[in-house]
Amino acid sequence: ELDLLKSLVLKTDENDGPKRVCIIHNSLSLLHRLKTVFGGDSPRLRGGYAQIPNTSIEIGLFLPAWSDCTSPQQENDGLMDPWLNVLTEDDLSRMLEAQSAINAWE
């Protein structure tokens, strides 16, 4: 699973221009492994996204608060980790609406 996500994210760098990739997953351990793969514990964050070194990709790692597998302790861990973002259903809805508006504009 980790290798698949890594290859999908890095494949986005093959096209021109900067990219912003969101990974939403209910496994806190997988998200922690991804942050190690994509830059370690010292990200340069901008709006919840970290730049992957030597690429044009910004990546955001999101823990879904609505998931039945997400415990309050995991949410707290996600809030305390600068790499991770805890995502509510409303946040996801706003992200998708914003992306739809951008796509319609183009």
Side-chain angles (χ1 to χ4, degrees):
E1 193 172 21
L2 182 67
D3 290 336
L4 174 64
L5 287 170
K6 180 181 175 183
S7 67
L8 288 172
V9 168
L10 294 177
K11 190 165 184 69
T12 65
D13 201 38
E14 294 174 0
N15 299 322
D16 294 334
K19 309 292 183 297
R20 185 171 268 193
V21 176
C22 303
I23 296 179
I24 303 169
H25 203 285
N26 65 356
S27 170
L28 190 60
S29 64
L30 177 74
L31 293 173
H32 281 292
R33 289 194 316 263
L34 283 169
K35 79 176 187 178
T36 302
V37 168
F38 290 123
D41 284 328
S42 301
R44 284 182 264 159
L45 295 172
R46 186 175 58 183
Y49 290 82
Q51 182 76 36
I52 298 175
N54 304 316
T55 71
S56 61
I57 302 170
E58 291 182 336
I59 189 167
L61 303 177
F62 297 88
L63 181 70
W66 68 86
S67 173
D68 292 338
C69 300
T70 304
S71 71
Q73 180 61 47
Q74 287 176 315
E75 284 186 46
N76 189 47
D77 290 347
L79 289 170
M80 299 304 291
D81 189 326
W83 258 96
L84 303 180
N85 302 284
V86 176
L87 190 67
T88 66
E89 288 178 277
D90 289 339
D91 294 335
L92 179 61
S93 178
R94 282 192 289 274
M95 285 172 64
L96 295 174
E97 288 172 3
Q99 187 59 47
S100 293
I102 289 169
N103 290 341
W105 181 259
E106 294 173 346

XYZ file of all heavy atoms in Angstrom:
830
model
N 0.824 -1.194 0.000
C 0.000 0.000 0.000
C 0.870 1.260 0.000
O 0.608 2.199 -0.738
C -0.913 -0.031 1.222
C -2.006 0.963 1.179
C -3.001 0.757 2.313
O -2.665 0.119 3.328
O -4.102 1.254 2.170
N 1.904 1.269 0.815
C 2.807 2.416 0.887
C 3.512 2.647 -0.450
O 3.568 3.774 -0.942
C 3.830 2.196 2.003
C 4.816 3.319 2.257
C 4.103 4.537 2.802
C 5.887 2.863 3.224
N 4.009 1.579 -1.046
C 4.695 1.703 -2.339
C 3.746 2.176 -3.437
O 4.129 2.974 -4.292
C 5.329 0.371 -2.738
C 6.516 0.003 -1.858
O 7.130 0.918 -1.279
O 6.808 -1.196 -1.742
N 2.515 1.685 -3.412
C 1.523 2.111 -4.402
C 1.244 3.601 -4.274
O 1.257 4.335 -5.273
C 0.230 1.308 -4.246
C -0.931 1.750 -5.132
C -0.587 1.557 -6.603
C -2.202 1.008 -4.770
N 1.006 4.080 -3.054
C 0.739 5.506 -2.854
C 1.940 6.347 -3.268
O 1.789 7.385 -3.914
C 0.368 5.779 -1.399
C -1.018 5.317 -0.985
C -1.184 5.426 0.520
C -2.088 6.129 -1.691
N 3.125 5.905 -2.911
C 4.337 6.641 -3.280
C 4.457 6.750 -4.795
O 4.720 7.828 -5.328
C 5.559 5.940 -2.693
C 6.854 6.630 -3.016
C 8.034 5.892 -2.436
C 9.334 6.524 -2.875
N 10.502 5.792 -2.384
N 4.252 5.649 -5.499
C 4.388 5.687 -6.955
C 3.311 6.566 -7.598
O 3.586 7.287 -8.550
C 4.372 4.280 -7.546
O 3.119 3.672 -7.379
N 2.091 6.531 -7.078
C 1.024 7.379 -7.619
C 1.336 8.853 -7.413
O 1.145 9.677 -8.321
C -0.318 7.036 -6.973
C -0.947 5.715 -7.383
C -2.171 5.418 -6.522
C -1.319 5.717 -8.848
N 1.817 9.206 -6.230
C 2.134 10.605 -5.946
C 3.276 11.083 -6.837
O 3.198 12.134 -7.466
C 2.487 10.790 -4.453
C 3.096 12.165 -4.212
C 1.251 10.595 -3.596
N 4.348 10.303 -6.912
C 5.498 10.734 -7.704
C 5.202 10.742 -9.193
O 5.803 11.521 -9.935
C 6.707 9.851 -7.384
C 7.222 9.993 -5.953
C 8.363 9.029 -5.704
C 7.628 11.423 -5.645
N 4.259 9.927 -9.647
C 3.877 9.914 -11.059
C 3.242 11.250 -11.462
O 3.357 11.660 -12.609
C 2.919 8.761 -11.330
C 2.661 8.535 -12.797
C 2.008 7.180 -12.999
C 1.808 6.861 -14.431
N 3.044 6.612 -15.165
N 2.613 11.958 -10.525
C 2.003 13.247 -10.852
C 3.034 14.283 -11.238
O 2.713 15.289 -11.856
C 1.153 13.796 -9.688
O 2.003 14.070 -8.576
C 0.061 12.847 -9.281
N 4.307 14.060 -10.883
C 5.355 15.028 -11.188
C 5.801 14.960 -12.644
O 6.589 15.779 -13.087
C 6.557 14.810 -10.258
C 7.436 16.041 -10.166
O 6.897 17.159 -10.141
O 8.669 15.884 -10.134
N 5.300 13.984 -13.390
C 5.706 13.839 -14.785
C 5.116 14.914 -15.683
O 5.638 15.189 -16.747
C 5.318 12.450 -15.301
C 6.079 11.331 -14.611
C 5.589 9.956 -15.022
O 4.650 9.860 -15.844
O 6.150 8.974 -14.517
N 4.022 15.529 -15.280
C 3.398 16.589 -16.072
C 3.955 17.941 -15.654
O 4.490 18.100 -14.559
C 1.877 16.557 -15.880
C 1.292 15.238 -16.340
O 1.731 14.674 -17.330
N 0.315 14.744 -15.608
N 3.811 18.939 -16.514
C 4.325 20.270 -16.225
C 3.521 20.954 -15.133
O 2.330 20.706 -14.968
C 4.277 21.137 -17.493
C 5.224 20.632 -18.558
O 6.221 19.991 -18.189
O 4.957 20.873 -19.749
N 4.189 21.839 -14.411
C 3.534 22.683 -13.438
C 3.450 22.075 -12.050
O 3.612 20.879 -11.868
N 3.208 22.948 -11.069
C 3.110 22.479 -9.688
C 1.850 21.646 -9.467
O 0.839 21.837 -10.132
C 3.071 23.765 -8.866
C 2.642 24.818 -9.813
C 3.054 24.382 -11.182
N 1.947 20.720 -8.538
C 0.828 19.832 -8.223
C 0.554 19.877 -6.730
O 1.451 20.062 -5.925
C 1.173 18.379 -8.576
C 1.690 18.158 -9.967
C 0.623 18.394 -11.003
C 1.081 18.109 -12.397
N 2.140 18.897 -12.937
N -0.682 19.661 -6.366
C -1.084 19.548 -4.971
C -1.830 18.231 -4.829
O -2.846 18.019 -5.483
C -1.964 20.717 -4.570
C -2.300 20.703 -3.099
C -2.966 21.965 -2.686
N -1.907 22.868 -2.237
C -2.141 23.979 -1.583
N -3.371 24.356 -1.346
N -1.153 24.736 -1.179
N -1.295 17.338 -3.994
C -1.852 16.006 -3.816
C -2.365 15.875 -2.388
O -1.654 16.220 -1.438
C -0.776 14.919 -4.085
C -1.329 13.538 -3.812
C -0.265 15.027 -5.506
N -3.584 15.374 -2.251
C -4.185 15.111 -0.936
C -4.304 13.604 -0.754
O -4.875 12.930 -1.608
C -5.584 15.699 -0.838
S -5.688 17.443 -1.148
N -3.784 13.105 0.355
C -3.969 11.703 0.696
C -4.822 11.659 1.957
O -4.421 12.188 2.998
C -2.635 10.978 0.909
C -1.843 10.950 -0.401
C -2.881 9.562 1.437
C -0.511 10.276 -0.313
N -5.985 11.038 1.832
C -6.908 10.881 2.959
C -6.934 9.402 3.295
O -7.308 8.581 2.462
C -8.316 11.378 2.606
C -8.266 12.838 2.155
C -9.266 11.193 3.792
C -9.550 13.338 1.531
N -6.521 9.077 4.513
C -6.460 7.670 4.907
C -6.744 7.558 6.398
O -6.325 8.407 7.172
C -5.087 7.094 4.580
C -5.088 5.611 4.435
N -5.167 4.764 5.509
C -5.039 4.830 3.338
C -5.153 3.521 5.084
N -5.086 3.526 3.758
N -7.459 6.491 6.794
C -7.829 6.354 8.197
C -6.784 5.616 9.035
O -6.986 5.384 10.213
C -9.193 5.680 8.342
C -9.194 4.245 7.856
O -8.199 3.758 7.337
N -10.312 3.579 8.012
N -5.651 5.266 8.442
C -4.572 4.614 9.187
C -3.520 5.649 9.562
O -2.777 6.140 8.701
C -3.936 3.503 8.352
O -2.760 3.046 8.987
N -3.468 5.961 10.844
C -2.485 6.922 11.319
C -1.064 6.403 11.090
O -0.174 7.168 10.723
C -2.718 7.214 12.806
C -1.941 8.360 13.413
C -2.254 9.669 12.708
C -2.254 8.470 14.900
N -0.866 5.107 11.244
C 0.478 4.546 11.039
C 0.905 4.681 9.579
O 2.071 4.975 9.294
C 0.546 3.100 11.514
O -0.296 2.281 10.750
N -0.009 4.484 8.635
C 0.336 4.668 7.224
C 0.685 6.127 6.940
O 1.669 6.420 6.251
C -0.800 4.218 6.311
C -0.524 4.445 4.824
C 0.487 3.433 4.300
C -1.786 4.410 4.022
N -0.079 7.051 7.487
C 0.207 8.473 7.285
C 1.571 8.837 7.860
O 2.318 9.607 7.255
C -0.902 9.330 7.896
C -2.265 9.217 7.219
C -3.319 9.980 8.014
C -2.221 9.697 5.789
N 1.919 8.266 9.012
C 3.242 8.512 9.597
C 4.349 7.958 8.706
O 5.395 8.591 8.533
C 3.344 7.890 10.998
C 2.684 8.696 12.055
N 3.149 9.925 12.466
C 1.587 8.450 12.793
C 2.365 10.405 13.407
N 1.395 9.522 13.626
N 4.128 6.790 8.118
C 5.133 6.221 7.207
C 5.262 7.078 5.949
O 6.363 7.264 5.423
C 4.780 4.773 6.862
C 4.980 3.836 8.043
C 4.961 2.366 7.659
N 3.915 1.968 6.747
C 2.750 1.413 7.097
N 2.467 1.204 8.367
N 1.870 1.058 6.190
N 4.141 7.605 5.456
C 4.189 8.461 4.266
C 4.974 9.733 4.523
O 5.724 10.190 3.659
C 2.776 8.799 3.795
C 2.049 7.698 3.041
C 0.581 8.064 2.861
C 2.702 7.434 1.694
N 4.809 10.322 5.691
C 5.560 11.555 5.959
C 7.051 11.277 5.980
O 7.837 12.108 5.561
C 5.090 12.242 7.236
C 5.584 11.663 8.510
C 5.129 12.498 9.696
C 5.790 11.990 10.963
N 5.429 12.771 12.115
N 7.453 10.093 6.421
C 8.866 9.716 6.398
C 9.352 9.562 4.964
O 10.437 10.025 4.605
C 9.084 8.401 7.180
O 8.622 8.589 8.512
C 10.536 8.010 7.211
N 8.536 8.935 4.128
C 8.901 8.726 2.721
C 9.013 10.059 1.978
O 9.905 10.252 1.157
C 7.857 7.819 2.029
C 8.027 7.826 0.531
C 7.932 6.407 2.582
N 8.137 11.008 2.297
C 8.067 12.249 1.528
C 8.742 13.448 2.182
O 8.470 14.567 1.824
C 6.620 12.592 1.214
C 5.991 11.660 0.233
C 4.843 10.966 0.565
C 6.544 11.459 -1.013
C 4.253 10.101 -0.338
C 5.969 10.590 -1.921
C 4.823 9.917 -1.586
N 9.629 13.222 3.131
C 10.371 14.378 3.611
C 10.729 14.383 5.072
O 11.380 15.313 5.528
N 10.321 13.426 5.850
C 10.735 13.360 7.243
C 9.936 14.241 8.166
O 8.817 14.634 7.868
N 10.551 14.575 9.294
C 9.844 15.297 10.346
C 9.994 16.811 10.291
O 9.548 17.494 11.187
C 10.321 14.804 11.722
C 9.725 13.454 12.055
O 8.595 13.189 11.624
O 10.393 12.679 12.749
N 10.637 17.331 9.278
C 10.852 18.777 9.202
C 10.274 19.354 7.921
O 10.999 19.873 7.072
C 12.349 19.086 9.286
O 12.877 18.605 10.482
N 8.974 19.283 7.766
C 8.395 19.801 6.518
C 8.343 21.323 6.523
O 8.281 21.949 7.571
C 6.979 19.229 6.543
C 6.648 19.179 7.994
C 7.944 18.793 8.673
N 8.393 21.876 5.338
C 8.100 23.293 5.175
C 6.654 23.365 4.729
O 6.348 23.153 3.559
C 9.029 23.921 4.155
C 10.408 24.153 4.710
C 11.281 24.814 3.710
N 12.020 23.726 3.061
C 12.586 23.807 1.885
N 12.506 24.901 1.193
N 13.234 22.786 1.382
N 5.787 23.614 5.690
C 4.355 23.587 5.411
C 3.860 24.940 4.929
O 4.300 25.985 5.389
C 3.575 23.185 6.659
C 3.820 21.775 7.177
C 3.129 21.588 8.509
C 3.337 20.748 6.180
N 2.899 24.871 4.015
C 2.207 26.065 3.548
C 0.749 25.677 3.376
O 0.412 24.898 2.482
C 2.812 26.548 2.237
C 2.227 27.865 1.781
C 2.901 28.381 0.570
N 2.780 27.387 -0.499
C 3.311 27.513 -1.680
N 4.030 28.554 -1.973
N 3.145 26.583 -2.600
N -0.087 26.167 4.261
C -1.513 25.855 4.190
C -1.813 24.382 4.418
O -2.744 23.853 3.841
N -1.009 23.713 5.247
C -1.232 22.302 5.526
C -0.603 21.351 4.528
O -0.783 20.140 4.610
N 0.149 21.888 3.582
C 0.803 21.071 2.560
C 2.314 21.232 2.677
O 2.809 22.317 2.965
C 0.351 21.482 1.160
C -1.075 21.109 0.881
C -2.118 21.899 1.316
C -1.375 19.944 0.194
C -3.435 21.544 1.080
C -2.692 19.580 -0.055
C -3.710 20.387 0.395
O -5.011 20.037 0.163
N 3.038 20.151 2.424
C 4.502 20.156 2.475
C 5.048 19.924 1.071
O 4.504 19.138 0.304
C 4.996 19.069 3.412
N 6.119 20.600 0.769
C 6.794 20.406 -0.512
C 7.625 19.135 -0.453
O 8.411 18.942 0.463
C 7.711 21.599 -0.806
C 8.412 21.530 -2.129
C 7.495 21.856 -3.289
O 6.631 22.710 -3.175
N 7.682 21.185 -4.398
N 7.428 18.248 -1.418
C 8.255 17.050 -1.514
C 9.574 17.464 -2.153
O 9.574 18.060 -3.233
C 7.572 15.952 -2.346
C 6.273 15.511 -1.682
C 8.512 14.758 -2.524
C 5.472 14.511 -2.498
N 10.700 17.172 -1.489
C 11.999 17.596 -2.031
C 12.231 17.103 -3.470
O 11.866 15.987 -3.831
C 13.011 16.939 -1.075
C 12.245 16.740 0.193
C 10.834 16.456 -0.226
N 12.820 17.985 -4.275
C 13.215 17.694 -5.660
C 12.045 17.390 -6.588
O 12.206 16.677 -7.581
C 14.228 16.543 -5.696
C 15.437 16.818 -4.841
O 15.975 17.919 -4.871
N 15.831 15.847 -4.054
N 10.849 17.881 -6.254
C 9.683 17.712 -7.117
C 8.910 19.030 -7.145
O 9.217 19.963 -6.397
C 8.721 16.612 -6.607
O 8.056 17.075 -5.425
C 9.444 15.311 -6.324
N 7.882 19.079 -7.961
C 6.977 20.228 -7.971
C 5.691 19.893 -7.224
O 4.678 20.540 -7.414
C 6.661 20.619 -9.412
O 6.011 19.538 -10.072
N 5.746 18.887 -6.350
C 4.547 18.381 -5.675
C 4.461 18.900 -4.246
O 5.427 18.840 -3.493
C 4.550 16.838 -5.634
C 4.636 16.264 -7.042
C 3.317 16.313 -4.915
C 4.886 14.769 -7.072
N 3.293 19.401 -3.903
C 2.954 19.676 -2.512
C 2.000 18.584 -2.076
O 1.055 18.250 -2.802
C 2.277 21.031 -2.362
C 3.184 22.207 -2.613
C 2.465 23.518 -2.391
O 1.218 23.570 -2.490
O 3.149 24.502 -2.110
N 2.233 18.023 -0.891
C 1.408 16.916 -0.419
C 0.778 17.262 0.926
O 1.403 17.877 1.778
C 2.231 15.615 -0.336
C 1.325 14.423 -0.057
C 3.332 15.726 0.700
C 1.993 13.084 -0.254
N -0.488 16.894 1.048
C -1.201 17.027 2.312
C -1.655 15.655 2.765
O -2.205 14.883 1.981
N -1.391 15.344 4.020
C -1.796 14.058 4.594
C -2.951 14.311 5.557
O -2.822 15.092 6.495
C -0.618 13.414 5.322
C 0.647 13.186 4.485
C 1.761 12.618 5.347
C 0.354 12.274 3.309
N -4.061 13.628 5.323
C -5.289 13.895 6.053
C -5.828 12.651 6.744
O -5.924 11.584 6.130
C -6.364 14.430 5.102
C -6.006 15.742 4.475
C -5.289 15.792 3.294
C -6.377 16.929 5.081
C -4.940 17.000 2.709
C -6.041 18.145 4.508
C -5.330 18.183 3.319
N -6.189 12.806 8.007
C -6.836 11.758 8.789
C -8.318 12.109 8.867
O -8.676 13.178 9.375
C -6.221 11.694 10.188
C -6.765 10.636 11.128
C -6.343 9.241 10.655
C -6.283 10.883 12.551
N -9.210 11.250 8.357
C -10.635 11.578 8.354
C -11.252 11.424 9.752
O -11.231 10.337 10.335
C -11.234 10.568 7.374
C -10.304 9.399 7.420
C -8.944 9.959 7.705
N -11.796 12.507 10.274
C -12.401 12.479 11.603
C -13.692 11.659 11.625
O -14.078 11.141 12.665
C -12.686 13.910 12.077
N -14.345 11.521 10.479
C -15.626 10.823 10.441
C -15.496 9.301 10.370
O -16.460 8.582 10.539
C -16.457 11.307 9.253
C -15.883 10.895 7.927
C -16.099 9.713 7.285
C -14.984 11.625 7.107
N -15.397 9.670 6.101
C -14.700 10.838 5.966
C -14.391 12.881 7.214
C -13.861 11.271 4.960
C -13.550 13.290 6.205
C -13.299 12.507 5.097
N -14.300 8.802 10.146
C -14.106 7.357 9.982
C -14.370 6.613 11.288
O -13.975 7.061 12.363
C -12.675 7.074 9.532
O -12.435 5.682 9.533
N -15.029 5.472 11.184
C -15.275 4.635 12.362
C -13.968 4.115 12.949
O -13.920 3.732 14.112
C -16.169 3.443 11.999
C -17.581 3.875 11.648
O -17.997 4.979 12.070
O -18.268 3.110 10.948
N -12.918 4.083 12.162
C -11.617 3.561 12.616
C -10.764 4.625 13.293
O -9.692 4.326 13.791
C -10.842 2.982 11.440
S -11.691 1.634 10.616
N -11.213 5.875 13.292
C -10.430 6.959 13.874
C -10.893 7.211 15.299
O -12.034 7.584 15.533
C -10.573 8.249 13.044
O -10.200 7.975 11.691
C -9.707 9.355 13.592
N -9.988 7.009 16.241
C -10.306 7.212 17.659
C -9.980 8.649 18.067
O -9.227 9.340 17.371
C -9.501 6.243 18.517
O -8.134 6.613 18.517
N -10.530 9.106 19.195
C -10.177 10.447 19.680
C -8.668 10.611 19.897
O -8.120 11.682 19.641
C -10.942 10.559 20.999
C -12.116 9.645 20.829
C -11.591 8.502 19.996
N -7.977 9.560 20.347
C -6.525 9.635 20.534
C -5.819 9.849 19.195
O -4.875 10.629 19.097
C -5.991 8.375 21.210
C -4.489 8.387 21.424
C -4.036 9.534 22.310
O -4.623 9.768 23.353
N -3.017 10.260 21.889
N -6.290 9.162 18.143
C -5.689 9.345 16.823
C -5.930 10.766 16.319
O -5.043 11.371 15.719
C -6.254 8.334 15.834
C -5.754 6.931 16.061
C -6.413 5.959 15.106
O -7.624 5.992 14.905
N -5.606 5.093 14.516
N -7.141 11.287 16.541
C -7.420 12.671 16.138
C -6.477 13.628 16.843
O -5.945 14.555 16.225
C -8.868 13.043 16.450
C -9.867 12.470 15.486
C -11.263 12.987 15.746
O -11.435 14.206 15.942
O -12.191 12.155 15.737
N -6.255 13.410 18.137
C -5.342 14.255 18.895
C -3.924 14.149 18.345
O -3.236 15.168 18.178
C -5.366 13.866 20.379
C -4.599 14.855 21.220
O -4.756 16.058 21.086
N -3.742 14.337 22.095
N -3.489 12.928 18.054
C -2.160 12.741 17.460
C -2.060 13.472 16.129
O -1.037 14.086 15.824
C -1.865 11.257 17.247
C -1.657 10.500 18.545
O -1.504 11.147 19.606
O -1.660 9.259 18.498
N -3.118 13.406 15.336
C -3.137 14.099 14.054
C -3.072 15.605 14.200
O -2.401 16.295 13.426
N -3.745 16.132 15.212
C -3.722 17.575 15.449
C -2.353 18.054 15.923
O -1.932 19.166 15.617
C -4.779 17.963 16.485
C -6.231 17.861 16.025
C -7.176 18.032 17.203
C -6.519 18.896 14.957
N -1.636 17.210 16.665
C -0.350 17.601 17.226
C 0.812 17.428 16.245
O 1.882 17.972 16.458
C -0.063 16.788 18.499
C -1.085 16.999 19.600
S -1.271 18.724 20.081
C 0.289 18.997 20.873
N 0.608 16.695 15.184
C 1.666 16.440 14.205
C 1.579 17.489 13.102
O 0.561 17.608 12.424
C 1.492 15.037 13.615
C 2.654 14.609 12.752
O 3.255 15.468 12.081
O 2.941 13.408 12.740
N 2.650 18.271 12.885
C 2.572 19.331 11.875
C 2.348 18.812 10.456
O 1.847 19.538 9.605
C 3.919 20.051 11.990
C 4.812 19.108 12.692
C 3.949 18.224 13.543
N 2.715 17.572 10.183
C 2.524 16.997 8.858
C 1.072 16.656 8.586
O 0.639 16.639 7.433
C 3.327 15.698 8.741
C 4.602 15.813 7.987
C 5.833 15.996 8.519
C 4.790 15.701 6.581
N 6.768 16.011 7.525
C 6.161 15.822 6.332
C 3.927 15.508 5.508
C 6.693 15.763 5.052
C 4.456 15.441 4.240
C 5.822 15.575 4.017
N 0.330 16.302 9.626
C -1.010 15.747 9.430
C -2.089 16.788 9.612
O -1.932 17.759 10.346
C -1.240 14.584 10.400
C -0.246 13.434 10.322
C -0.611 12.364 11.341
C -0.192 12.846 8.931
N -3.189 16.548 8.946
C -4.379 17.378 9.069
C -5.543 16.454 9.411
O -5.694 15.407 8.794
C -4.690 18.068 7.729
C -3.549 18.928 7.237
O -3.336 20.001 7.728
N -2.798 18.416 6.273
N -6.341 16.847 10.397
C -7.561 16.100 10.700
C -8.660 16.717 9.853
O -8.868 17.931 9.862
C -7.900 16.154 12.198
C -9.220 15.467 12.471
C -6.787 15.496 13.015
N -9.333 15.890 9.094
C -10.301 16.351 8.105
C -11.712 15.966 8.525
O -11.991 14.794 8.786
C -9.961 15.700 6.757
C -10.670 16.194 5.521
C -10.260 17.624 5.208
C -10.330 15.294 4.356
N -12.595 16.955 8.603
C -14.006 16.674 8.867
C -14.731 16.534 7.530
O -14.197 16.893 6.475
C -14.658 17.804 9.682
O -14.689 18.988 8.879
C -13.920 18.067 10.988
N -15.942 16.045 7.583
C -16.738 15.934 6.352
C -16.988 17.308 5.740
O -16.971 17.451 4.518
C -18.056 15.221 6.646
C -17.890 13.738 6.909
C -19.191 13.058 7.237
O -19.590 13.128 8.416
O -19.797 12.472 6.322
N -17.198 18.315 6.585
C -17.407 19.674 6.072
C -16.147 20.199 5.369
O -16.234 20.853 4.331
C -17.801 20.628 7.204
C -19.207 20.362 7.717
O -20.020 19.750 6.995
O -19.491 20.771 8.869
N -14.976 19.920 5.962
C -13.718 20.328 5.326
C -13.565 19.688 3.956
O -13.181 20.347 2.990
C -12.515 19.930 6.188
C -12.436 20.647 7.515
O -12.982 21.768 7.626
O -11.825 20.081 8.441
N -13.870 18.395 3.888
C -13.769 17.679 2.614
C -14.732 18.270 1.587
O -14.368 18.488 0.429
C -14.040 16.189 2.807
C -13.998 15.331 1.544
C -12.627 15.391 0.886
C -14.385 13.895 1.865
N -15.931 18.561 2.009
C -16.919 19.146 1.110
C -16.430 20.492 0.567
O -16.529 20.766 -0.628
C -18.250 19.315 1.852
O -19.201 19.914 1.028
N -15.857 21.327 1.445
C -15.336 22.630 1.001
C -14.171 22.458 0.025
O -14.065 23.189 -0.959
C -14.910 23.468 2.207
C -16.068 24.122 2.934
C -15.585 25.160 3.934
N -14.933 24.543 5.082
C -15.558 24.094 6.162
N -16.870 24.191 6.239
N -14.880 23.556 7.154
N -13.293 21.482 0.302
C -12.166 21.234 -0.609
C -12.662 20.833 -1.993
O -12.166 21.322 -3.011
C -11.268 20.121 -0.056
C -10.393 20.518 1.100
S -9.540 19.104 1.859
C -8.489 18.551 0.530
N -13.647 19.946 -2.030
C -14.173 19.477 -3.313
C -14.907 20.586 -4.054
O -14.793 20.704 -5.276
C -15.077 18.265 -3.104
C -14.371 17.006 -2.574
C -15.390 15.922 -2.263
C -13.324 16.516 -3.551
N -15.660 21.405 -3.326
C -16.349 22.527 -3.959
C -15.357 23.524 -4.537
O -15.547 24.037 -5.644
C -17.262 23.221 -2.947
C -18.493 22.418 -2.595
C -19.285 23.020 -1.447
O -18.914 24.111 -0.936
O -20.275 22.398 -1.046
N -14.284 23.801 -3.793
C -13.268 24.741 -4.280
C -12.599 24.193 -5.539
O -12.372 24.932 -6.500
C -12.230 25.008 -3.195
N -12.299 22.906 -5.550
C -11.663 22.302 -6.723
C -12.604 22.322 -7.911
O -12.201 22.569 -9.049
C -11.219 20.870 -6.424
C -10.402 20.264 -7.554
C -9.146 21.053 -7.858
O -8.396 21.429 -6.963
N -8.894 21.320 -9.127
N -13.899 22.087 -7.678
C -14.887 22.128 -8.759
C -14.958 23.536 -9.352
O -15.056 23.692 -10.562
C -16.255 21.717 -8.247
O -16.251 20.360 -7.874
N -14.890 24.546 -8.493
C -14.936 25.924 -8.975
C -13.700 26.239 -9.810
O -13.787 26.901 -10.844
C -15.041 26.887 -7.794
N -12.541 25.762 -9.376
C -11.306 25.999 -10.130
C -11.383 25.302 -11.489
O -11.046 25.883 -12.513
C -10.089 25.489 -9.326
C -9.849 26.404 -8.133
C -8.839 25.415 -10.207
C -8.843 25.865 -7.122
N -11.862 24.052 -11.497
C -11.973 23.319 -12.754
C -12.957 23.990 -13.697
O -12.747 24.008 -14.910
C -12.388 21.879 -12.497
C -11.289 21.078 -11.827
O -10.135 21.451 -11.847
N -11.669 19.959 -11.224
N -14.048 24.533 -13.170
C -15.036 25.212 -14.012
C -14.456 26.493 -14.611
O -14.776 26.858 -15.734
C -16.279 25.525 -13.181
N -13.607 27.164 -13.854
C -12.997 28.402 -14.315
C -12.029 28.145 -15.471
O -11.911 28.924 -16.391
C -12.257 29.085 -13.154
C -11.623 30.376 -13.530
C -10.316 30.596 -13.810
C -12.265 31.633 -13.683
N -10.079 31.900 -14.112
C -11.282 32.566 -14.049
C -13.563 32.068 -13.557
C -11.565 33.896 -14.286
C -13.841 33.397 -13.784
C -12.863 34.295 -14.151
N -11.324 27.002 -15.399
C -10.351 26.682 -16.448
C -11.099 26.228 -17.658
O -10.936 26.253 -18.713
C -9.399 25.586 -15.963
C -8.522 26.070 -14.821
C -7.680 24.953 -14.207
O -7.938 23.768 -14.466
O -6.769 25.277 -13.465
